[in-house]
Amino acid sequence: MLNYLATPLFLTGVCVWLYLYVHGKELDSIERRTLNQEFLTEKLREHVTLAVVATVAVIVIAVPLGTLLTRPALRRLAPLVIGIANIGQAIPSVGLVFFFPVVMAQVGFRPVLYALVIHTSLGVLRNTMVGLGQVDRNLIEAGRGMGMTKLRVLLRIELPLAVPIILAGVRTALILNVATATLGTFINAGTLGDFIVNGHDLNRDPVLITGGVLTAVLALGIDWFAGIAERVLRPRGL
Amino acid sequence: MPSITKRFTLLPLLAAVLVTVAVTAVGSAGTTKTCTIKGTAKADVLKGTARADVICGLGGNDRLTGLAGNDTLNGGSGNDILTGGPGSDAVNGETGNDAIFAGAGGIDRISGGAGKDRAVADPLDVVAGVETIKLTGPSLTAYNFSGAEFRVGSKQFTEQLILGQIAKQALEFTRAKVNSQIGLGGTSVNRAALVSDKIDMYWEYTGTGWIVHLNNTQPINNAAQQWEAVRKADAANNITWLYPGPFDNTYAFAVRSEAAAGFGVKKLSDLATLIRTRPRDATVCVNTEFSTRDDGLPGVEKHYGFKFPNDNVVKLETGLIYKAIDDGKICNFGITFATDGRIEGLGLTVIPDDKQFFPIYNPALNVRTAVYQKYPRLSGMFKSIALALTNARMQKMNADVDIRGKFPEEVAKEFLAANGFTVTKP
């Protein structure tokens, strides 16, 4: 029980501290333009939307792709696809975020979403392949021996056994997305990055700290949720 | 019908010519009248006094010497030799192949007039109509900091790299050792490094010092007062602001030149009409900083009495804004920095700030007070350098790097040499 509650208690504590810290300050007009309810809600919404949509997109793309690449017919292609995904992760995220505005004159939600998906796909893809690869061959043989089709073996035996490893990859992607979404501020996608860049450029500590702390709280909070989801989704008996 | 139209277009032209002739005639009559020392139609030798003289050579090959005071020397016709002397003189060669000597300090206004003229001038003198110019220059040979070591920082954008190089090379010319931290980091990084004794100096802008470092929200709209204010306030932080240069790297709205006419926005106040009549075209790119500063978008909108539609304000990283304005796909207007080389390079048009809203961002070297107290002559040295940093020169230097691909080192070296600072012999 304590394990479940420690993180939210800690994060609540941090938020309370942040609230008291900001309220204890005499804010000037520059700080008041960002440190207000309306602006904060908007930025939080933009941030969470970006991170969640990007992670869902990554799951939708990477899990089926990883599954396909472990099937015998397509296994030869695995190094190629992994190589491409590697490039996506190797390019600095700032570079990816700036790529679409510069090359395609696109700014806002979409280009950041593309950048996040490209940047975080590799982890989920690789974990899906590793998770499926480590399933005991004997269990698959047993399933086939019981008369299950290949698809049924995949859905009833392989995937459930791979879930913990896949979810670990998803969790990493989620946290990476929450952190990297801050770069959206540079190309009109808002996010909590607005606070960080604004506070830094104008030397306004309360603004900078609010952005930094809330991003960290968001990442840890979402990770906590993902942890619970992981426990719930994990097949019983494992 | 065509002949009438022609006559009507010619009329104002004729009037303009007449007025010009009249003004010139009255003007020249006026100068002759106010001459305090007057020559003859033959060759004269005329000397001024220690006060402000107006010396007129008239005809003949005259020899005019202004001596001290802010003198006006008019050579008249003939091949004259004019020497301004100390003070800020106005030296006019007028007709004939004149030789003008306008060194010896002051900011002189030199006009060669007709004929093949030669002039020796200080770097800051305003020279026109002279065929051969030789700059004397306030050479830094008068300074010797041998044995001293200075740590010079700068921010990371082109202008700052050039300014950092200017400081570094100037100090090296005076035999000081320089530990280069040029390109150290952003504004706050340099400031923190200066305060915590990690660097000894970097160039800061008066407006930035006032609003960012000293946490004020309202700028002071007078260059000298703004400098005076930061200098006083920062003394408490053990930072000495040396004398500022004239260029003003303030905010400036820009639009791509091809489209400027189509929007009918010739000055900033015209944006109000565009927003009212064609709101879809009134798109603007800003950086997040500009969107929340009192001297940024909120202030501009209040001062000019218009408001961009919310969806038309695109917040981009500063470097992306120039390209976005040039493309015109993301936004038609955007905020830029007045001395940025890309304004020239991408063919952008700056929209004049007709109601004088933007604060003043003059460059001044920020020096740790302890270092300044040990080497007080830094003040005089960097005053003469700062004074040579005009808007036109800074824009050209930035464009030299950003557009023409030169290195900041080269550009700084050329600046110091061309303005006479690193000239060893006059």
Side-chain angles (χ1 to χ4, degrees):
Chain A
M1 196 62 187
L2 196 67
N3 274 350
Y4 279 113
L5 287 179
T7 308
L9 280 176
F10 172 71
L11 295 181
T12 313
V14 170
C15 288
V16 168
W17 170 83
L18 181 68
Y19 181 84
L20 292 175
Y21 165 76
V22 172
H23 274 255
K25 294 256 168 192
E26 190 81 32
L27 298 182
D28 68 12
S29 58
I30 292 178
E31 290 159 338
R32 281 200 301 272
R33 283 199 186 92
T34 49
L35 293 178
N36 61 66
Q37 191 67 47
E38 196 188 343
F39 193 80
L40 184 67
T41 320
E42 188 189 334
K43 297 300 137 186
L44 258 176
R45 186 180 53 74
E46 287 167 349
H47 201 122
V48 173
T49 314
L50 248 181
V52 169
V53 172
T55 309
V56 170
V58 165
I59 296 172
V60 169
I61 294 167
V63 173
L65 189 63
T67 312
L68 280 177
L69 289 174
T70 51
R71 299 305 97 189
L74 293 170
R75 204 167 281 164
R76 306 179 284 129
L77 291 176
L80 179 74
V81 177
I82 287 278
I84 293 171
N86 254 325
I87 295 173
Q89 189 161 50
I91 299 173
S93 41
V94 182
L96 283 172
V97 167
F98 278 51
F99 177 81
F100 295 99
V102 170
V103 177
M104 292 153 85
Q106 273 204 25
V107 294
F109 182 83
R110 279 182 170 202
V112 185
L113 180 65
Y114 302 152
L116 292 180
V117 170
I118 292 171
H119 193 56
T120 55
S121 287
L122 177 73
V124 179
L125 180 68
R126 197 184 265 288
N127 276 33
T128 305
M129 294 170 73
V130 170
L132 290 172
Q134 51 87 57
V135 174
D136 193 340
R137 306 305 308 170
N138 293 328
L139 293 175
I140 298 173
E141 291 297 322
R144 294 289 289 155
M146 286 163 69
M148 291 169 111
T149 62
K150 281 183 181 172
L151 184 65
R152 229 174 135 69
V153 170
L154 175 68
L155 293 177
R156 298 295 298 271
I157 300 173
E158 292 185 74
L159 278 176
L161 288 172
V163 157
I165 296 179
I166 295 174
L167 278 179
V170 171
R171 252 174 105 170
T172 313
L174 195 52
I175 295 174
L176 215 56
N177 280 332
V178 172
T180 314
T182 49
L183 296 176
T185 179
F186 291 129
I187 62 168
N188 200 37
T191 77
L192 293 172
D194 272 10
F195 289 95
I196 300 177
V197 174
N198 193 281
H200 171 268
D201 288 354
L202 288 164
N203 194 23
R204 296 301 197 268
D205 284 348
V207 181
L208 174 62
I209 290 171
T210 301
V213 168
L214 284 184
T215 307
V217 166
L218 197 59
L220 291 170
I222 285 186
D223 182 58
W224 177 77
F225 263 115
I228 289 181
E230 203 176 332
R231 282 179 200 223
V232 173
L233 293 173
R234 179 180 293 177
R236 307 248 151 77
L238 263 180
Chain B
M1 207 47 191
S3 67
I4 291 171
T5 329
K6 210 170 196 176
R7 199 144 34 119
F8 274 112
T9 47
L10 272 178
L11 254 171
L13 196 71
L14 198 68
V17 170
L18 276 175
V19 167
T20 317
V21 169
V23 166
T24 320
V26 170
S28 59
T31 31
T32 322
K33 243 182 218 161
T34 53
C35 290
T36 54
I37 299 167
K38 214 191 307 185
T40 66
K42 281 179 268 156
D44 310 299
V45 177
L46 305 168
K47 262 192 190 147
T49 65
R51 281 166 289 127
D53 310 302
V54 181
I55 309 174
C56 307
L58 302 186
N61 299 336
D62 311 308
R63 202 179 257 273
L64 276 58
T65 311
L67 299 182
N70 298 336
D71 310 308
T72 304
L73 275 63
N74 301 316
S77 56
N79 302 331
D80 312 308
I81 300 171
L82 302 102
T83 310
S88 296
D89 309 309
V91 186
N92 305 308
E94 301 185 335
T95 37
N97 305 329
D98 310 307
I100 297 168
F101 296 92
I107 298 176
D108 307 312
R109 304 182 68 85
I110 302 165
S111 154
K116 280 207 162 72
D117 309 303
R118 290 166 296 132
V120 177
D122 288 330
L124 296 182
D125 295 346
V126 184
V127 185
V130 173
E131 281 67 28
T132 322
I133 307 168
K134 201 172 165 191
L135 292 176
T136 61
S139 174
L140 301 179
T141 38
Y143 299 93
N144 186 346
F145 291 115
S146 73
E149 186 175 346
F150 300 106
R151 295 164 297 177
V152 178
S154 90
K155 306 180 198 182
Q156 290 158 319
F157 53 93
T158 305
E159 179 168 297
Q160 280 276 323
L161 298 178
I162 297 171
L163 290 174
Q165 281 293 338
I166 288 174
K168 172 178 178 269
Q169 293 179 22
L171 288 167
E172 282 173 345
F173 183 79
T174 66
R175 299 197 204 134
K177 208 168 159 247
V178 174
N179 173 347
S180 169
Q181 300 294 331
I182 294 168
L184 179 66
T187 300
S188 49
V189 171
N190 276 281
R191 173 77 174 195
L194 190 69
V195 171
S196 63
D197 189 12
K198 299 285 189 304
I199 58 173
D200 297 317
M201 59 185 77
Y202 80 98
W203 292 88
E204 189 50 280
Y205 305 94
T206 49
T208 309
W210 186 245
I211 291 157
V212 178
H213 301 317
L214 295 164
N215 281 324
N216 294 290
T217 52
Q218 294 302 320
I220 299 171
N221 275 331
N222 172 299
Q225 285 168 15
Q226 180 67 87
W227 173 70
E228 200 57 57
V230 281
R231 202 171 65 96
K232 273 201 191 119
D234 249 350
N237 301 321
N238 295 318
I239 292 169
T240 301
W241 284 72
L242 299 187
Y243 199 82
F247 84 67
D248 181 10
N249 190 7
T250 187
Y251 289 111
F253 275 97
V255 56
R256 62 190 187 284
S257 301
E258 318 84 90
F263 294 127
V265 177
K266 289 202 180 64
K267 48 194 194 304
L268 219 43
S269 45
D270 292 341
L271 270 173
T273 321
L274 188 75
I275 290 171
R276 209 173 47 245
T277 56
R278 296 155 64 186
R280 289 184 58 190
D281 286 332
T283 48
V284 64
C285 282
V286 298
N287 55 19
T288 152
E289 176 179 344
F290 188 75
S291 70
T292 61
R293 294 175 77 121
D294 290 80
D295 59 327
L297 198 57
V300 172
E301 292 182 330
K302 202 170 150 206
H303 191 79
Y304 278 91
F306 57 66
K307 188 159 188 340
F308 284 100
N310 259 346
D311 290 342
N312 287 12
V313 179
V314 181
K315 284 191 257 171
L316 294 182
E317 195 273 333
T318 318
L320 290 174
I321 295 177
Y322 293 85
K323 197 176 175 298
I325 309 172
D326 188 41
D327 282 350
K329 287 182 198 138
I330 297 167
C331 51
N332 287 322
F333 301 91
I335 201 68
T336 59
F337 291 110
T339 54
D340 197 289
R342 282 169 290 188
I343 291 176
E344 181 202 318
L346 295 171
L348 306 180
T349 299
V350 164
I351 303 166
D353 176 20
D354 55 319
K355 290 188 183 166
Q356 272 123 39
F357 169 73
F358 288 120
I360 294 150
Y361 290 86
N362 292 140
L365 199 64
N366 280 200
V367 183
R368 284 200 308 118
T369 302
V371 172
Y372 171 68
Q373 279 164 350
K374 197 168 170 199
Y375 303 104
R377 294 198 72 205
L378 284 173
S379 167
M381 173 173 155
F382 279 101
K383 178 174 179 177
S384 59
I385 292 176
L387 280 172
L389 291 167
T390 59
N391 250 353
R393 287 201 183 114
M394 198 65 241
Q395 264 167 3
K396 191 188 159 292
M397 286 196 278
N398 284 332
D400 276 347
V401 174
D402 285 339
I403 311 299
R404 293 179 273 275
K406 288 190 185 178
F407 287 107
E409 292 89 317
E410 283 177 84
V411 174
K413 193 174 170 194
E414 286 167 10
F415 166 83
L416 288 170
N419 291 288
F421 295 115
T422 49
V423 175
T424 36
K425 274 178 202 157

